[in-house]
Amino acid sequence: MSRYDPATTEASWQRAWNAAGAFTARRDPDRPKYYVLEMFPYPSGRIHMGHVRNYAMGDVIARYKSACGYSVLHPMGWDAFGMPAENAAMERGVNPKDWTYANIADMRAQMQPLGLSIDWSREFATCDPEYYGQQQSMFIDMLAAGLVYRKNAVVNWDPVDMTVLANEQVIDGRGWRSGAVVERRELTQWFFRISAYSEELLTALDGLTHWPDKVRLMQANWIGKSRGLQFAFSTVGAPDGFDRLEVYTTRPDTLMGATFAAISPDHPLAKYLERHDPAVAAFVAECRKVGTSEEALEKAEKRGLDTGIRVRHPFDTAWELPVYIANFILMDYGTGAVFGCPAHDQRDLDFARKYGLDVLDVFTPTTRDDRVEDQAFVPLKSEPVRYVRGFAGSDLQTGEAAITAAIAFCEANGVGHGVTNYRLRDWGLSRQRYWGCPIPVIHCASCGVVPEAKANLPVRLPDDVTFDKPGNPLDRHPTWRACTCPKCGAAAQRETDTMDTFVDSSWYYARFTAPQAATPTVAEDAAYWMNVDQYIGGVEHAILHLLYSRFFARAMHATGHLPASAVEPFDALFTQGMVTHEIYLTRDNTARPAYHLPEEVEDGKLKATGQAVEVIPSAKMSKSKKNVVDPLAIISAFGADTARWFILSDSPPERDVEWTASGAEAAFRHLGRVWRLADECGKRGGGDAAQDPALIRATHRAIHEVTQGIEGFAFNKAIAKLYEFTNSVAKSDASAEAKTEAMRTMAQLMSPIAPHLAEDIWAMLGGAGLVAQARWPKADPALLVSDHVVLPIQINGKRRAEISVPKDMAPTEVEKLVLADETVIRVLAGSPPKKLIVVPGRIVNVVI
RNA sequence: GCGGAUGUGGCGGAAUUGGUAGACGCGCAGCGUUGAGGUCGCUGUGGGGUAACUCCCGUGAAGGUUCGAGUCCUUUCAUCCGCACCA
C-alpha cells in the first residue's frame, strides 16, 4: 500500500471488526455498562446526511466508551409504521409492507459502509409482528390499569374523500389531494391518560440534569402548569340546563375588568344553540372550517358571535355581560369558556374593539405613561402596579400577590375556588389508517369493548389490502374485522383504528435490551442495560417524542414491564442540529425557478450548459429544493472516514452544519496527510533528535483535549485539536521511534471519528490487535502544565504588552515586574497607577 | 398567535464561562516542488491608518453595569425550530 486508499481498506476493516465480534453487546457483570442510542430512522429508503451526522455522533461516543472499558450497547432499528408507506401504496400501487421492508434492506446496505459500531444482531422494525404484538400486549395491560380510555375527539375531515386527514395533509385549510375545505369532526377515539402524570412529568424534569435546559424548559411550558380561579357565572336568557357557565382564568385579579364572556364553538352551550339557532349554526360551521392544529386556530382572524345570552357578574348581579361564541377559545383548555378583560389582554382588546365592547382598566402602570391606544397593558406578574378596580381598593402590588389575594377573596365570598390546571392534554392514539399497530380490542354486541385475549396476539395486519379508495383499508377488508368475542364467544368485530406511530417509538429503547424476548422486556436485561446513558437526536423531537417516552416508561413501570429506576428512560440527552446546504436555482422567463443538485453545479455555473445559477443561502437539505448531497456518493469518492470527519468537524454538534464540497475535500486531504505522516515514520524515519520534549507535551495535551472534546460533546473542538496535533508531529524533528509513538496515540485519538484510517495507521506502526479494541490513552497531568505563563498587560482594559512569569509567582512580585515594564513606564509617565489588578495566571490590568 | 433557540473576519467556527477576540479549518495571496495544471510542502491573511511602531475601529443594532463585556442587564432587529394526526 503506497497511498491512503479508503476504498479498499474501509471494507476490510469492517470485516475485521465483524470477525472479532467487536460490537456485540454482552451483559458483563464485571464491567460497567454504557447504552448509546440514536433516534432510530424512518425507513424512507435513502439515508441522508442528517442520518450520517446523527449516527457518527453516537458512534464516537460508543467507540470512545468502549475504549474506556465499558460494556457498550449500541443498537439500530427502524421506525417503520407511518403514512409514507400508505402514500407510496396509493401513488404507486405497491404494498406498504413490501415497500417498507425493501426500504429497510436498502437503508441497512447504505448504512453499513459508514463503519458504525452497531450491534446488528439486535435490529428490529416496529412493523415486525414480534414487536407490535408485544406492544399490543402492553396496551391490554395499560387498559386494565386504567391508563387507556375512550372519548370523543375532533379530527380533520375531508368531506370529498370522506377520510380523516393528518395536520400535514391540510394545506391552507384544504385537503391535500381533494382540495376540499377541511372540517372538524368528532369521533370516538382511544387515549392514553398522560394527564394523570402531568405533575410528575413536570417535577421530574428537575432530575434530568444531563438534558439540555432548553428541552426541559420547552417540556415544562408544554405541560403548562397554571394556578387560577374556576367559577360559574349565572346566566340570563340561556336555555334550560345552562343556568351556569363555568369559566377558568389565570388572572382572577382582573375579574372587575371583565366586559364580556366567550365560549368555544365546541362548547356544549354552543352545540346546543347550533341545533336551535340558524345564525349560530352558520357561525359555528364557519369556525369548524379551520384545521385542528393550535397554530391554525390561533392564527385565524379573531371572530365572534353575540349569542344574546347574558351572564351576571359574580360581584355585582345587576351588571350583565354579553356571551359570545369566539373562534379563538380552545375547548381543550380549562373549561372552554372565559371572561374577557380587554384592558389587560391583547386578544381580548382586539375583540372588544371589533365588537364595540367596553374597556375597563383594573390596574395602571407605576413606571410608565398611560396605556397606548389599542395596546393592552399586560405587565409581568412580578411588576408592581396600582390597582384601581381590584378587590381591596387601590393597592400597589404585584400581579402575583393580587392573584393570590383575588383567589382567597373569591373563595371567601363563595365565588369559585382556586385550581391548578395543566395545558397538557391526554394523548390521542387512534389513527384511522392501515399501516400501524392494530389496537387489540374487539367490539361485541353484548359485551361492549373487550380486549383481545393475549393468547391471540399479535393481532396481525392483513397483507391483502387495497388503496384504490380513500379511507382505512381495514374498514373495508372483506374478512379481517370478523372475530369472536374473547368474553362470550359470540361473533364480534375488530377495532379498525391503529396506533399513533409515536407509541412505537415510545418504548423501542427498552425492547433493544431484549429484542427477541417473548415478553415486551426481560427483567434482568432491562435491569442491566437501562437506562439509555446517552440519547441523541434532533430538537424537533424535544417535546412530543420525548414526553411520550417519559410517560410510556412510567406506564410500563406501572404494568410491570420496567423497573422503577427506568421511569426516566434517558439519562442524558443531546439534540443535534441539521445538515444544511446552499440552494442553486435558475429562472427561465416567468416559469417557476428550477432547482439544481450541488453535483450539477461548478463555480456558480451549471456544468452541462454553463448557465449561471442563483445561490440561495444554506437551508435544511430537502429533496424539493434539491440541495442534497448523497452520503453514498461522498463515501465512494472519499470514503466513510472523510464523511464522518467533515460532518463532525465544521460546526458544534448542537448547531446546524453546512455541507460544503470544499470542506469535504479538505477533510479528505487531511486524512491523507495523516496517512502519509504515519507512512513516513513507519518507513524512512524522522529527524535527528532522539527525543523531542515538545512532541511529548503535544501528545499529552492532545490526549487531554481530545478526551475533553468527546466527553463534552464538542467534536468540532476535538477535531481542531487533532489538526493541531498533526501539525506538531509534522513539525517535530524527533526520531522515527518518537514519532511512531506519537502517531500511535494519534491513531487511538482518531479512532472514534475516523475508525478505518485509525486501523490503517495502527497496523502500519505495529500496534497490537485492533485499535477498536485498544484501551483509551491517558494523559500525564504533569506534562499538561508549563512552568511559565504569558501574562497580558492591559492598560485601561486594552492589551498593550505582555510578560512571561513563573506560573506560581506571587501577585506582589508580578506587580513589580509590571511597573518595570517599559510600555507601562511610558504610559504612566511618572505618575502612579490609579489601580493595579493582578489576576494570577490570567491577566494584569493597569488603570490610569 | 404561543413556546424555544441562534446572531463573532470573505466563509464554518474558537474563546479555560467576566480576563490576550478570531484557535482550527475553508477561501485567498506569495514562495518552493512539479514539464503545465492538480497534488504536496512552507509563509502570510479581521477592517482602517502609517515609511515604521502597536495608533484607531471591531462579536446583528442601541443603551447600561464593571478595572475589564462576545460573555451579565435593558430595549430592539433578523433568521431558524416546535405547536399535540409528519416522522
Side-chain angles (χ1 to χ4, degrees):
Chain A
M1 193 163 61
S2 58
R3 64 191 174 87
Y4 176 47
D5 180 23
T8 53
T9 60
E10 288 190 349
S12 81
W13 289 120
Q14 287 163 18
R15 284 192 295 273
W17 296 327
N18 289 339
F23 312 132
T24 306
R26 288 182 199 83
R27 258 166 53 197
D28 180 349
D30 300 327
R31 282 194 297 163
K33 67 90 189 182
Y34 200 90
Y35 183 0
V36 193
L37 185 65
E38 300 99 55
M39 290 179 186
F40 65 166
Y42 178 80
S44 61
R46 300 295 296 177
I47 63 165
H48 54 66
M49 281 298 174
H51 293 124
V52 174
R53 194 177 193 204
N54 192 201
Y55 307 135
M57 287 180 196
D59 205 45
V60 170
I61 300 296
R63 287 175 178 270
Y64 167 73
K65 288 293 176 181
S66 176
C68 290
Y70 288 88
S71 173
V72 169
L73 171 58
H74 186 210
M76 182 60 68
W78 311 95
D79 188 13
F81 276 134
M83 295 200 304
E86 293 195 19
N87 292 338
M90 279 184 267
E91 283 155 18
R92 280 175 267 164
V94 292
N95 179 281
K97 178 178 163 183
D98 298 340
W99 184 83
T100 301
Y101 280 103
N103 281 351
I104 289 173
D106 288 347
M107 280 182 77
R108 191 192 303 111
Q110 292 160 32
M111 233 183 245
Q112 272 163 345
L114 283 169
L116 302 170
S117 64
I118 285 167
D119 180 356
W120 286 100
S121 72
R122 290 175 185 255
E123 175 192 357
F124 62 77
T126 56
C127 62
D128 295 342
E130 294 74 23
Y131 182 80
Y132 71 70
Q134 300 301 333
Q135 187 164 302
Q136 291 168 341
S137 168
M138 287 196 293
F139 178 92
I140 290 167
D141 293 343
M142 291 175 192
L143 183 61
L147 292 165
V148 187
Y149 69 100
R150 295 216 305 164
K151 72 169 179 185
N152 283 350
V154 289
V155 293
N156 298 305
W157 180 258
D158 185 320
V160 169
D161 277 352
M162 304 290 279
T163 188
V164 177
L165 296 178
N167 282 338
E168 80 158 4
Q169 298 172 321
V170 179
I171 316 286
D172 295 329
R174 291 170 182 274
W176 67 342
R177 289 185 203 280
S178 71
V181 173
V182 166
E183 297 168 3
R184 273 184 279 166
R185 175 177 275 220
E186 279 201 1
L187 292 179
T188 304
Q189 312 233 65
W190 289 94
F191 284 82
F192 282 121
R193 215 179 283 283
I194 187 172
S195 65
Y197 290 84
S198 296
E199 182 62 31
E200 199 198 321
L201 289 168
L202 179 66
T203 51
L205 287 172
D206 291 339
L208 299 177
T209 52
H210 298 292
W211 280 40
D213 289 341
K214 63 171 175 183
V215 174
R216 294 197 289 169
L217 184 58
M218 281 191 267
Q219 291 221 350
N221 289 338
W222 186 262
I223 294 168
K225 183 178 184 174
S226 66
R227 194 176 52 111
L229 178 75
Q230 187 168 327
F231 69 96
F233 284 112
S234 63
T235 58
V236 180
D240 283 350
F242 293 101
D243 40 301
R244 290 160 61 81
L245 181 66
E246 285 279 340
V247 299
Y248 171 76
T249 177
T250 57
R251 291 308 298 256
D253 56 321
T254 65
L255 185 50
M256 297 310 287
T259 58
F260 68 96
I263 62 173
S264 162
D266 298 316
H267 191 277
L269 176 56
K271 286 183 175 171
Y272 177 91
L273 295 172
E274 183 187 3
R275 290 193 297 274
H276 295 85
D277 182 340
V280 172
F283 179 72
V284 168
E286 275 303 302
C287 292
R288 298 225 170 98
K289 283 182 182 169
V290 176
T292 57
S293 79
E294 199 166 298
E295 183 188 8
L297 292 172
E298 296 270 6
K299 275 189 180 162
E301 190 203 346
K302 307 292 174 277
R303 300 178 59 201
L305 178 76
D306 189 347
T307 59
I309 297 169
R310 298 286 178 267
V311 291
R312 293 196 179 91
H313 194 282
F315 290 111
D316 179 0
T317 50
W319 180 8
E320 294 187 357
L321 311 175
V323 178
Y324 279 77
I325 299 173
N327 65 348
F328 58 89
I329 309 296
L330 304 172
M331 191 57 220
D332 289 315
Y333 183 65
T335 62
V338 301
F339 72 78
C341 176
H344 305 295
D345 183 285
Q346 189 60 46
R347 211 162 44 175
D348 291 350
L349 183 65
D350 296 343
F351 193 81
R353 292 276 186 251
K354 187 163 179 177
Y355 294 102
L357 300 163
D358 291 341
V359 179
L360 297 177
D361 282 337
V362 174
F363 43 73
T364 55
T366 55
T367 54
R368 29 193 143 143
D369 294 337
D370 270 351
R371 179 157 45 69
V372 185
E373 183 71 3
D374 286 328
Q375 202 172 323
F377 173 49
V378 188
L380 292 175
K381 284 185 187 170
S382 54
E383 184 181 330
V385 291
R386 188 167 303 283
Y387 277 77
V388 295
R389 293 175 71 84
F391 290 104
S394 65
D395 291 21
L396 179 71
Q397 57 183 333
T398 62
E400 230 144 52
I403 288 167
T404 306
I407 291 172
F409 183 84
C410 290
E411 284 181 341
N413 287 279
V415 176
H417 50 279
V419 295
T420 298
N421 221 331
Y422 299 89
R423 205 183 73 99
L424 180 64
R425 310 199 293 257
D426 276 337
W427 170 14
L429 69 121
S430 290
R431 296 293 181 271
Q432 294 71 41
R433 281 183 245 290
Y434 163 73
W435 192 234
C437 171
I439 293 177
V441 299
I442 285 160
H443 298 270
C444 171
S446 43
C447 307
V449 178
V450 182
E452 176 61 284
K454 283 203 178 178
N456 294 336
L457 298 183
V459 176
R460 285 174 183 268
L461 284 171
D463 293 336
D464 53 333
V465 284
T466 55
F467 288 89
D468 47 348
K469 295 191 267 287
N472 183 353
L474 294 178
D475 277 332
R476 55 173 188 264
H477 191 277
T479 56
W480 186 77
R481 298 186 67 181
C483 61
T484 54
C485 173
K487 216 165 169 182
C488 70
Q493 296 228 295
R494 287 197 186 287
E495 168 73 64
T496 59
D497 281 358
T498 53
M499 295 187 203
D500 179 7
T501 56
F502 272 121
V503 181
D504 312 331
S505 56
S506 289
W507 73 286
Y508 75 109
Y509 50 85
R511 185 67 180 169
F512 275 133
T513 65
Q516 279 99 32
T519 48
T521 55
V522 172
E524 306 87 77
D525 292 301
Y528 181 79
W529 291 115
M530 288 297 287
N531 299 339
V532 176
D533 292 278
Q534 182 67 59
Y535 196 35
I536 308 170
V539 241
E540 65 273 19
H541 296 292
I543 297 174
L544 291 180
H545 162 61
L546 289 164
L547 192 62
Y548 290 156
S549 294
R550 296 178 61 221
F551 160 72
F552 217 80
R554 284 170 170 80
M556 285 175 75
H557 170 59
T559 49
H561 297 295
L562 276 180
S565 55
V567 297
E568 282 299 343
F570 311 122
D571 279 351
L573 172 71
F574 189 86
T575 53
Q576 108 252 5
M578 296 180 303
V579 183
T580 68
H581 198 288
E582 287 179 332
I583 298 168
Y584 307 113
L585 59 83
T586 50
R587 297 177 203 272
D588 295 317
N589 302 326
T590 56
R592 74 179 65 166
Y595 294 100
H596 303 284
L597 290 166
E599 68 210 43
E600 298 167 347
V601 176
E602 198 171 56
D603 297 330
K605 295 190 184 89
L606 284 180
K607 281 183 195 169
T609 64
Q611 187 186 359
V613 296
E614 204 175 313
V615 180
I616 305 236
S618 218
K620 181 180 183 172
M621 285 189 176
S622 89
K623 276 184 209 156
S624 62
K625 298 274 163 43
K626 289 201 176 179
N627 61 335
V628 292
V629 174
D630 182 1
L632 293 186
I634 298 300
I635 292 172
S636 60
F638 302 114
D641 282 347
T642 292
R644 296 168 57 125
W645 183 273
F646 173 64
I647 208 148
L648 295 176
S649 69
D650 229 31
S651 280
E654 67 276 15
R655 268 206 253 160
D656 291 352
V657 62
E658 182 180 19
W659 185 276
T660 60
S662 59
E665 281 158 24
F668 180 68
R669 279 204 303 273
H670 177 75
L671 298 184
R673 182 179 181 221
V674 174
W675 190 93
R676 285 190 301 277
L677 215 46
D679 187 49
E680 276 164 31
C681 56
K683 281 182 194 152
R684 291 183 287 280
D688 309 324
Q691 278 299 340
D692 177 0
L695 182 59
I696 292 172
R697 253 177 218 290
T699 303
H700 283 263
R701 219 170 36 241
I703 294 171
H704 177 71
E705 288 172 337
V706 171
T707 305
Q708 294 250 301
I710 293 174
E711 292 264 3
F713 255 87
F715 308 125
N716 57 326
K717 286 190 252 173
I719 287 174
K721 298 304 173 188
L722 286 168
Y723 274 111
E724 283 183 30
F725 186 33
T726 306
N727 290 339
S728 301
V729 177
K731 280 198 188 110
S732 170
D733 63 348
S735 66
E737 289 72 28
K739 281 193 167 188
T740 296
E741 193 66 35
M743 287 304 288
R744 278 209 208 99
T745 304
M746 178 81 75
Q748 289 182 284
L749 296 179
M750 290 178 82
S751 68
I753 300 163
H756 311 88
L757 173 63
E759 297 288 2
D760 284 344
I761 299 173
W762 189 251
M764 279 154 72
L765 301 180
L770 292 166
V771 73
Q773 294 181 311
R775 284 304 287 259
W776 194 251
K778 271 199 162 56
D780 180 350
L783 293 169
L784 296 177
V785 287
S786 52
D787 41 5
H788 274 68
V789 287
V790 174
L791 281 187
I793 298 176
Q794 290 183 333
I795 291 166
N796 286 342
K798 289 191 175 171
R799 182 179 171 281
R800 285 297 149 83
E802 60 185 34
I803 46 171
S804 179
V805 297
K807 186 165 64 76
D808 302 321
M809 185 181 247
T812 49
E813 294 299 306
V814 174
E815 280 179 24
K816 282 180 203 162
L817 285 177
V818 168
L819 292 174
D821 181 86
E822 52 180 274
T823 309
V824 175
I825 289 170
R826 181 163 48 89
V827 173
L828 286 177
S831 49
K834 273 195 200 142
K835 213 169 182 182
L836 187 55
I837 294 153
V838 177
V839 184
R842 277 285 154 73
I843 203 162
V844 178
N845 195 6
V846 185
V847 185
I848 57 172

